[in-house]
Amino acid sequence: MATDCRNCPLRPRPLFDDMSESELAFMRNFKTGELEVEAGAQLMMEGANAPHLYTALEGQGLRYKTLETGERQVINFVLPGDFIGLQAGVMNVMYHTVEATTRMRLCVFNRAALWSLFEEQPERAYDLTWLSAVEERFLGESLAMLGHMSAEQRIARAFLRLQDRGTALGMVKNREMPLPYRQQDLADALGLSLVHTNKTLKSMRERGLADWRGGSMKILDYSGLCELAEMEEDRSLTPRPLI
Amino acid sequence: MATDCRNCPLRPRPLFDDMSESELAFMRNFKTGELEVEAGAQLMMEGANAPHLYTALEGQGLRYKTLETGERQVINFVLPGDFIGLQAGVMNVMYHTVEATTRMRLCVFNRAALWSLFEEQPERAYDLTWLSAVEERFLGESLAMLGHMSAEQRIARAFLRLQDRGTALGMVKNREMPLPYRQQDLADALGLSLVHTNKTLKSMRERGLADWRGGSMKILDYSGLCELAEMEEDRSLTPRPLI
DNA sequence: CGCGACGTTGAACTCAGTCAAAGTTAGTGG
DNA sequence: CCACTAACTTTGACTGAGTTCAACGTCGCG
């Protein structure tokens, strides 16, 4: 039973912008259904086109590129509210793969209708560009992270960024949130080897900074982590459009 | 004397998509003038808003982020045809700085008119999103590069990417193109130290791969560089919109 | 119970960073 | 025309964070 956009569980969150009546009407029409996929499913494949666009409703996933050498670069972690398939939508081909890490529920949009969005809903088109610009910003920050930070700092920063997003989505209780990824996933996101990631995680656990085991990540020393990651202690995410 | 968009020196290049009459008319109106800046000028500043958007017409520049520690992360090299200020346009603030490396000539657009672009010119809005998606793709590749490649490979890849862009812009003669950056700029782009960049450049020069000195970069062994960079020898850039 | 996926640990090695100093070049002003 | 400076490049020596290799441990599942 598909959720009506009017009852979207995500949109009421302060993280997401309000939607006008006309936008809502458009979205209800734009949305063609819902999809539930099992953990491990590939939603989008690098090099392929895709007939659908998605917005994650529930569950968690990964975006990654596969390199010629077989290694992976994780581009980002996919959480509820994330729009999936913009590249395929405008460029007709994906340049990274999107995979479900847990079982996921997704809103499905018809790619062919994307053009009508630009024609009929300039606000929504603007929002799409906004999202793309945010992603660009995020990737720029990731680049800086890989270019200039130690393993410990990268992990601290990744944890804090995830916690920020998790907080805005109500996934955090008592500085603890579900993080159902493997160590290899984090290593591939941060440009580190699995072994070194493992050792650094252990040291951070022992030093009482953060504890990530069994699919759940808990921040133990918030201030310490912020300092390590060179991040403000007082942060909040800018509200963003939901598509 | 400002160039009329009808006589745009860039648009006829195969790198750029054709433009319809109505798009051209819109662009002529959207463009409010031209700006010429000296080498070293900052066009956009991180954290600040900007009243204007630009498209580079001539000259070369840099996009970079400044980190808390004072280090820089170069995000990308700015060449003619690049659109500057999308972040400021949609997010009201830049998250990186854009600086002219050489004297530059730029088309100037009024930021306030950006919204009219979305309202009146869905094709142009689509193009803008397209550009943003391309940038996202590029950053994803850069991330993979920093995460998984050796210093030599990163430099090889950077050179080839620049040469691809330079070729499409007619800046390459005999596998040689102007590259007016400092070694520090490349180092900051690739997440390497200046010293190591210098030594790697020397070794690549001595091994007959590529020679970059005095503001000019020449590829000596194309096949060798491609192999090193894990790139196809036979590449071409997808035509893209010019804004 | 055995297999596969994931996590943990130790040892050896190496690529790249840091430090420190000298060389080169272009520009400036006396 | 030459001393002087500032920006950039080059070089050598030393160091260490992170990789690689190779096991071993643990847990859930068919």
Side-chain angles (χ1 to χ4, degrees):
Chain A
M1 186 53 209
T3 316
D4 188 315
C5 292
R6 285 182 293 202
N7 307 320
C8 177
L10 292 173
R11 190 157 37 77
R13 299 210 160 270
L15 174 61
F16 300 108
D17 290 337
D18 289 335
M19 213 177 265
S20 72
E21 277 305 317
S22 90
E23 285 177 305
L24 190 56
F26 179 86
M27 290 310 291
R28 290 184 68 205
N29 188 38
F30 188 39
K31 175 170 173 175
T32 59
E34 258 170 49
L35 176 66
E36 192 160 327
V37 297
E38 295 303 315
Q42 298 203 333
L43 301 170
M44 298 267 164
M45 283 185 62
E46 191 168 355
N49 201 339
H52 296 120
L53 310 172
Y54 305 104
T55 291
L57 266 180
E58 295 169 17
Q60 292 170 253
L62 282 177
R63 297 179 197 267
Y64 63 82
K65 294 178 77 73
T66 307
L67 311 186
E68 297 77 358
T69 53
E71 298 168 291
R72 287 187 323 164
Q73 175 66 45
V74 169
I75 306 282
N76 204 347
F77 299 96
V78 177
L79 298 186
D82 284 7
F83 187 72
I84 297 166
L86 180 63
Q87 279 187 352
V90 298
M91 300 175 70
N92 296 320
V93 59
M94 288 298 287
Y95 289 96
H96 60 256
T97 298
V98 183
E99 189 176 293
T101 301
T102 64
R103 170 185 291 247
M104 290 186 81
R105 175 183 287 270
L106 306 128
C107 296
V108 181
F109 309 109
N110 189 344
R111 214 206 98 185
L114 184 66
W115 175 242
S116 71
L117 185 149
F118 277 88
E119 274 190 316
E120 297 167 24
Q121 293 280 325
E123 295 93 347
R124 297 269 75 190
Y126 193 90
D127 287 345
L128 210 55
T129 310
W130 201 95
L131 283 184
S132 189
V134 169
E135 195 65 19
E136 199 180 316
R137 172 196 166 187
F138 175 85
L139 289 177
E141 284 174 7
S142 299
L143 209 54
M145 178 166 81
L146 292 220
H148 297 277
M149 297 185 118
S150 70
E152 204 170 39
Q153 289 181 303
R154 297 185 208 181
I155 292 176
R157 187 168 272 245
F159 279 176
L160 287 171
R161 290 214 283 206
L162 282 162
Q163 186 108 173
D164 285 347
R165 298 178 67 194
T167 301
L169 291 166
M171 298 163 67
V172 176
K173 283 210 179 62
N174 208 14
R175 297 233 155 111
E176 183 161 11
M177 71 180 278
L179 204 65
Y181 303 101
R182 296 169 302 152
Q183 294 186 351
Q184 183 72 62
D185 297 326
L186 185 66
D188 287 343
L190 304 181
L192 298 169
S193 71
L194 170 60
V195 172
H196 194 57
T197 303
N198 178 287
K199 288 173 180 168
T200 308
L201 283 169
K202 183 190 177 194
S203 128
M204 290 174 77
R205 197 184 304 139
E206 287 170 354
R207 287 169 48 199
L209 286 167
D211 190 353
W212 173 39
R213 273 178 304 176
S216 185
M217 186 267 287
K218 175 156 194 172
I219 289 183
L220 304 171
D221 174 2
Y222 182 72
S223 301
L225 269 191
C226 291
E227 194 186 345
L228 191 56
E230 286 165 11
M231 288 171 78
E232 299 286 331
E233 288 201 25
D234 187 5
R235 302 178 306 276
S236 68
L237 296 180
T238 312
R240 62 182 196 76
L242 179 65
I243 293 192
Chain B
M1 186 56 211
T3 316
D4 187 315
C5 291
R6 286 182 294 202
N7 307 320
C8 177
L10 292 173
R11 190 157 37 76
R13 297 210 163 270
L15 174 61
F16 300 108
D17 291 338
D18 289 336
M19 213 178 264
S20 71
E21 276 305 316
S22 90
E23 286 178 303
L24 188 56
F26 179 86
M27 290 311 291
R28 290 185 68 204
N29 189 40
F30 187 39
K31 175 170 173 177
T32 60
E34 257 169 49
L35 176 66
E36 191 159 329
V37 297
E38 294 304 313
Q42 299 202 331
L43 300 171
M44 298 268 164
M45 283 186 64
E46 191 168 355
N49 201 339
H52 296 120
L53 311 173
Y54 305 105
T55 290
L57 266 181
E58 294 169 17
Q60 293 171 249
L62 281 177
R63 299 177 194 268
Y64 63 82
K65 295 178 76 72
T66 307
L67 311 186
E68 296 78 358
T69 52
E71 298 169 291
R72 287 187 323 164
Q73 175 66 45
V74 170
I75 306 282
N76 203 346
F77 300 95
V78 177
L79 299 185
D82 285 7
F83 187 71
I84 297 166
L86 180 62
Q87 280 189 350
V90 298
M91 299 175 72
N92 296 320
V93 59
M94 287 298 285
Y95 289 97
H96 61 253
T97 298
V98 182
E99 190 176 293
T101 301
T102 64
R103 169 187 292 247
M104 289 185 82
R105 175 184 288 269
L106 306 128
C107 296
V108 182
F109 309 108
N110 190 344
R111 214 204 98 187
L114 185 65
W115 174 242
S116 71
L117 185 150
F118 277 89
E119 274 190 316
E120 298 167 24
Q121 294 279 324
E123 295 93 348
R124 297 267 77 190
Y126 193 89
D127 288 345
L128 209 55
T129 310
W130 201 96
L131 284 184
S132 190
V134 169
E135 195 65 20
E136 199 179 316
R137 172 195 167 188
F138 176 85
L139 290 176
E141 285 174 8
S142 299
L143 208 54
M145 178 165 80
L146 292 219
H148 297 278
M149 296 185 118
S150 70
E152 205 171 41
Q153 289 182 301
R154 296 185 210 183
I155 292 177
R157 188 169 271 246
F159 279 176
L160 288 172
R161 290 213 282 206
L162 282 162
Q163 186 107 172
D164 285 347
R165 297 177 67 194
T167 301
L169 292 166
M171 297 163 67
V172 177
K173 284 210 179 61
N174 208 14
R175 297 232 157 111
E176 182 160 12
M177 70 180 278
L179 203 65
Y181 303 101
R182 295 168 303 152
Q183 294 186 354
Q184 184 72 62
D185 297 326
L186 185 65
D188 287 344
L190 305 182
L192 298 169
S193 72
L194 171 61
V195 172
H196 194 58
T197 302
N198 179 285
K199 287 174 180 170
T200 308
L201 283 169
K202 183 191 176 194
S203 125
M204 291 175 76
R205 196 184 305 138
E206 287 170 353
R207 288 169 49 201
L209 287 168
D211 190 352
W212 172 41
R213 274 177 303 176
S216 185
M217 185 267 286
K218 175 156 193 171
I219 290 184
L220 304 171
D221 175 2
Y222 182 71
S223 300
L225 269 191
C226 291
E227 193 185 348
L228 191 56
E230 286 165 11
M231 287 172 80
E232 299 286 332
E233 289 201 26
D234 187 6
R235 304 179 304 278
S236 68
L237 297 180
T238 312
R240 62 182 198 74
L242 179 66
I243 292 190

